[in-house]
PDB file of all heavy atoms in Angstrom:
ATOM      1  N   ASP L 178      -9.496   2.762 -18.936  1.00  0.00           N
ATOM      2  CA  ASP L 178      -8.396   3.609 -18.456  1.00  0.00           C
ATOM      3  C   ASP L 178      -7.409   2.864 -17.602  1.00  0.00           C
ATOM      4  O   ASP L 178      -6.225   3.115 -17.617  1.00  0.00           O
ATOM      5  CB  ASP L 178      -8.982   4.781 -17.585  1.00  0.00           C
ATOM      6  CG  ASP L 178      -9.881   5.664 -18.405  1.00  0.00           C
ATOM      7  OD1 ASP L 178      -9.840   5.569 -19.663  1.00  0.00           O
ATOM      8  OD2 ASP L 178     -10.620   6.459 -17.775  1.00  0.00           O
ATOM      9  N   PHE L 179      -7.965   1.897 -16.834  1.00  0.00           N
ATOM     10  CA  PHE L 179      -7.017   1.208 -15.928  1.00  0.00           C
ATOM     11  C   PHE L 179      -5.985   0.410 -16.681  1.00  0.00           C
ATOM     12  O   PHE L 179      -4.861   0.270 -16.223  1.00  0.00           O
ATOM     13  CB  PHE L 179      -7.816   0.262 -14.992  1.00  0.00           C
ATOM     14  CG  PHE L 179      -8.677   0.989 -14.040  1.00  0.00           C
ATOM     15  CD1 PHE L 179      -9.989   0.673 -13.884  1.00  0.00           C
ATOM     16  CD2 PHE L 179      -8.163   2.066 -13.328  1.00  0.00           C
ATOM     17  CE1 PHE L 179     -10.816   1.391 -13.012  1.00  0.00           C
ATOM     18  CE2 PHE L 179      -8.956   2.796 -12.457  1.00  0.00           C
ATOM     19  CZ  PHE L 179     -10.266   2.445 -12.312  1.00  0.00           C
ATOM     20  N   SER L 180      -6.373  -0.091 -17.860  1.00  0.00           N
ATOM     21  CA  SER L 180      -5.364  -0.880 -18.576  1.00  0.00           C
ATOM     22  C   SER L 180      -4.145  -0.060 -18.875  1.00  0.00           C
ATOM     23  O   SER L 180      -3.004  -0.475 -18.666  1.00  0.00           O
ATOM     24  CB  SER L 180      -5.973  -1.428 -19.858  1.00  0.00           C
ATOM     25  OG  SER L 180      -6.563  -0.396 -20.597  1.00  0.00           O
ATOM     26  N   GLY L 181      -4.393   1.216 -19.285  1.00  0.00           N
ATOM     27  CA  GLY L 181      -3.279   2.099 -19.574  1.00  0.00           C
ATOM     28  C   GLY L 181      -2.491   2.411 -18.312  1.00  0.00           C
ATOM     29  O   GLY L 181      -1.265   2.289 -18.238  1.00  0.00           O
ATOM     30  N   LEU L 182      -3.194   2.759 -17.238  1.00  0.00           N
ATOM     31  CA  LEU L 182      -2.544   3.111 -15.971  1.00  0.00           C
ATOM     32  C   LEU L 182      -1.780   1.934 -15.397  1.00  0.00           C
ATOM     33  O   LEU L 182      -0.604   2.031 -15.038  1.00  0.00           O
ATOM     34  CB  LEU L 182      -3.581   3.582 -14.969  1.00  0.00           C
ATOM     35  CG  LEU L 182      -3.864   5.063 -14.941  1.00  0.00           C
ATOM     36  CD1 LEU L 182      -4.981   5.354 -13.908  1.00  0.00           C
ATOM     37  CD2 LEU L 182      -2.629   5.855 -14.590  1.00  0.00           C
ATOM     38  N   LEU L 183      -2.443   0.758 -15.349  1.00  0.00           N
ATOM     39  CA  LEU L 183      -1.791  -0.421 -14.729  1.00  0.00           C
ATOM     40  C   LEU L 183      -0.596  -0.847 -15.559  1.00  0.00           C
ATOM     41  O   LEU L 183       0.429  -1.244 -14.981  1.00  0.00           O
ATOM     42  CB  LEU L 183      -2.814  -1.563 -14.632  1.00  0.00           C
ATOM     43  CG  LEU L 183      -3.694  -1.488 -13.390  1.00  0.00           C
ATOM     44  CD1 LEU L 183      -4.868  -2.404 -13.508  1.00  0.00           C
ATOM     45  CD2 LEU L 183      -2.929  -1.743 -12.125  1.00  0.00           C
ATOM     46  N   ALA L 184      -0.710  -0.713 -16.892  1.00  0.00           N
ATOM     47  CA  ALA L 184       0.474  -1.068 -17.691  1.00  0.00           C
ATOM     48  C   ALA L 184       1.663  -0.163 -17.378  1.00  0.00           C
ATOM     49  O   ALA L 184       2.800  -0.619 -17.281  1.00  0.00           O
ATOM     50  CB  ALA L 184       0.085  -0.950 -19.181  1.00  0.00           C
ATOM     51  N   GLU L 185       1.382   1.148 -17.156  1.00  0.00           N
ATOM     52  CA  GLU L 185       2.475   2.057 -16.835  1.00  0.00           C
ATOM     53  C   GLU L 185       2.997   1.846 -15.420  1.00  0.00           C
ATOM     54  O   GLU L 185       4.202   1.982 -15.156  1.00  0.00           O
ATOM     55  CB  GLU L 185       2.020   3.498 -17.035  1.00  0.00           C
ATOM     56  CG  GLU L 185       1.744   3.885 -18.447  1.00  0.00           C
ATOM     57  CD  GLU L 185       2.939   3.675 -19.369  1.00  0.00           C
ATOM     58  OE1 GLU L 185       4.103   3.823 -18.900  1.00  0.00           O
ATOM     59  OE2 GLU L 185       2.744   3.333 -20.540  1.00  0.00           O
ATOM     60  N   ILE L 186       2.097   1.497 -14.499  1.00  0.00           N
ATOM     61  CA  ILE L 186       2.550   1.150 -13.133  1.00  0.00           C
ATOM     62  C   ILE L 186       3.471  -0.048 -13.177  1.00  0.00           C
ATOM     63  O   ILE L 186       4.507  -0.109 -12.557  1.00  0.00           O
ATOM     64  CB  ILE L 186       1.345   0.914 -12.219  1.00  0.00           C
ATOM     65  CG1 ILE L 186       0.566   2.183 -11.980  1.00  0.00           C
ATOM     66  CG2 ILE L 186       1.771   0.270 -10.868  1.00  0.00           C
ATOM     67  CD1 ILE L 186      -0.814   1.995 -11.372  1.00  0.00           C
ATOM     68  N   ALA L 187       3.097  -1.025 -14.007  1.00  0.00           N
ATOM     69  CA  ALA L 187       3.954  -2.210 -14.183  1.00  0.00           C
ATOM     70  C   ALA L 187       5.306  -1.835 -14.753  1.00  0.00           C
ATOM     71  O   ALA L 187       6.333  -2.356 -14.344  1.00  0.00           O
ATOM     72  CB  ALA L 187       3.232  -3.246 -15.086  1.00  0.00           C
ATOM     73  N   THR L 188       5.291  -0.931 -15.713  1.00  0.00           N
ATOM     74  CA  THR L 188       6.558  -0.493 -16.304  1.00  0.00           C
ATOM     75  C   THR L 188       7.454   0.166 -15.228  1.00  0.00           C
ATOM     76  O   THR L 188       8.645  -0.109 -15.103  1.00  0.00           O
ATOM     77  CB  THR L 188       6.303   0.529 -17.428  1.00  0.00           C
ATOM     78  OG1 THR L 188       5.533  -0.099 -18.442  1.00  0.00           O
ATOM     79  CG2 THR L 188       7.615   1.031 -18.017  1.00  0.00           C
ATOM     80  N   ALA L 189       6.843   1.047 -14.411  1.00  0.00           N
ATOM     81  CA  ALA L 189       7.592   1.680 -13.330  1.00  0.00           C
ATOM     82  C   ALA L 189       8.135   0.602 -12.377  1.00  0.00           C
ATOM     83  O   ALA L 189       9.316   0.663 -11.947  1.00  0.00           O
ATOM     84  CB  ALA L 189       6.663   2.636 -12.563  1.00  0.00           C
ATOM     85  N   GLY L 190       7.337  -0.429 -12.125  1.00  0.00           N
ATOM     86  CA  GLY L 190       7.749  -1.506 -11.216  1.00  0.00           C
ATOM     87  C   GLY L 190       8.955  -2.268 -11.777  1.00  0.00           C
ATOM     88  O   GLY L 190       9.889  -2.619 -11.043  1.00  0.00           O
ATOM     89  N   LYS L 191       8.977  -2.457 -13.109  1.00  0.00           N
ATOM     90  CA  LYS L 191      10.115  -3.140 -13.722  1.00  0.00           C
ATOM     91  C   LYS L 191      11.396  -2.321 -13.550  1.00  0.00           C
ATOM     92  O   LYS L 191      12.466  -2.843 -13.217  1.00  0.00           O
ATOM     93  CB  LYS L 191       9.844  -3.410 -15.202  1.00  0.00           C
ATOM     94  CG  LYS L 191       8.733  -4.400 -15.474  1.00  0.00           C
ATOM     95  CD  LYS L 191       8.447  -4.452 -16.954  1.00  0.00           C
ATOM     96  CE  LYS L 191       7.104  -5.136 -17.229  1.00  0.00           C
ATOM     97  NZ  LYS L 191       6.738  -5.085 -18.684  1.00  0.00           N
ATOM     98  N   VAL L 192      11.277  -1.038 -13.797  1.00  0.00           N
ATOM     99  CA  VAL L 192      12.450  -0.131 -13.682  1.00  0.00           C
ATOM    100  C   VAL L 192      12.947  -0.121 -12.269  1.00  0.00           C
ATOM    101  O   VAL L 192      14.156  -0.286 -11.977  1.00  0.00           O
ATOM    102  CB  VAL L 192      12.097   1.280 -14.148  1.00  0.00           C
ATOM    103  CG1 VAL L 192      13.253   2.276 -13.876  1.00  0.00           C
ATOM    104  CG2 VAL L 192      11.728   1.323 -15.620  1.00  0.00           C
ATOM    105  N   ILE L 193      12.036   0.005 -11.296  1.00  0.00           N
ATOM    106  CA  ILE L 193      12.427   0.068  -9.886  1.00  0.00           C
ATOM    107  C   ILE L 193      13.005  -1.255  -9.433  1.00  0.00           C
ATOM    108  O   ILE L 193      14.062  -1.324  -8.780  1.00  0.00           O
ATOM    109  CB  ILE L 193      11.208   0.471  -9.023  1.00  0.00           C
ATOM    110  CG1 ILE L 193      10.798   1.888  -9.328  1.00  0.00           C
ATOM    111  CG2 ILE L 193      11.545   0.365  -7.512  1.00  0.00           C
ATOM    112  CD1 ILE L 193       9.378   2.240  -8.816  1.00  0.00           C
ATOM    113  N   SER L 194      12.394  -2.340  -9.868  1.00  0.00           N
ATOM    114  CA  SER L 194      12.909  -3.659  -9.513  1.00  0.00           C
ATOM    115  C   SER L 194      14.340  -3.828  -9.952  1.00  0.00           C
ATOM    116  O   SER L 194      15.212  -4.316  -9.224  1.00  0.00           O
ATOM    117  CB  SER L 194      12.038  -4.735 -10.156  1.00  0.00           C
ATOM    118  OG  SER L 194      12.578  -6.057  -9.944  1.00  0.00           O
ATOM    119  N   HIS L 195      14.606  -3.371 -11.181  1.00  0.00           N
ATOM    120  CA  HIS L 195      15.961  -3.479 -11.735  1.00  0.00           C
ATOM    121  C   HIS L 195      16.949  -2.723 -10.833  1.00  0.00           C
ATOM    122  O   HIS L 195      18.059  -3.218 -10.556  1.00  0.00           O
ATOM    123  CB  HIS L 195      15.956  -2.917 -13.136  1.00  0.00           C
ATOM    124  CG  HIS L 195      17.255  -2.986 -13.851  1.00  0.00           C
ATOM    125  ND1 HIS L 195      17.840  -4.182 -14.251  1.00  0.00           N
ATOM    126  CD2 HIS L 195      18.156  -2.036 -14.184  1.00  0.00           C
ATOM    127  CE1 HIS L 195      19.014  -3.958 -14.817  1.00  0.00           C
ATOM    128  NE2 HIS L 195      19.212  -2.649 -14.817  1.00  0.00           N
ATOM    129  N   GLU L 196      16.559  -1.537 -10.413  1.00  0.00           N
ATOM    130  CA  GLU L 196      17.490  -0.715  -9.581  1.00  0.00           C
ATOM    131  C   GLU L 196      17.609  -1.297  -8.203  1.00  0.00           C
ATOM    132  O   GLU L 196      18.690  -1.390  -7.677  1.00  0.00           O
ATOM    133  CB  GLU L 196      16.926   0.741  -9.491  1.00  0.00           C
ATOM    134  CG  GLU L 196      17.007   1.528 -10.756  1.00  0.00           C
ATOM    135  CD  GLU L 196      18.442   1.612 -11.334  1.00  0.00           C
ATOM    136  OE1 GLU L 196      19.319   1.964 -10.558  1.00  0.00           O
ATOM    137  OE2 GLU L 196      18.593   1.305 -12.515  1.00  0.00           O
ATOM    138  N   VAL L 197      16.493  -1.699  -7.594  1.00  0.00           N
ATOM    139  CA  VAL L 197      16.522  -2.232  -6.213  1.00  0.00           C
ATOM    140  C   VAL L 197      17.401  -3.474  -6.179  1.00  0.00           C
ATOM    141  O   VAL L 197      18.171  -3.696  -5.267  1.00  0.00           O
ATOM    142  CB  VAL L 197      15.081  -2.548  -5.739  1.00  0.00           C
ATOM    143  CG1 VAL L 197      15.122  -3.461  -4.502  1.00  0.00           C
ATOM    144  CG2 VAL L 197      14.344  -1.264  -5.396  1.00  0.00           C
TER     145      VAL L 197
END
Side-chain angles (χ1 to χ4, degrees):
D178 295 348
F179 293 129
S180 51
L182 269 177
L183 278 166
E185 292 303 328
I186 291 167
T188 300
K191 293 174 194 173
V192 172
I193 294 164
S194 174
H195 181 69
E196 291 303 311
V197 164

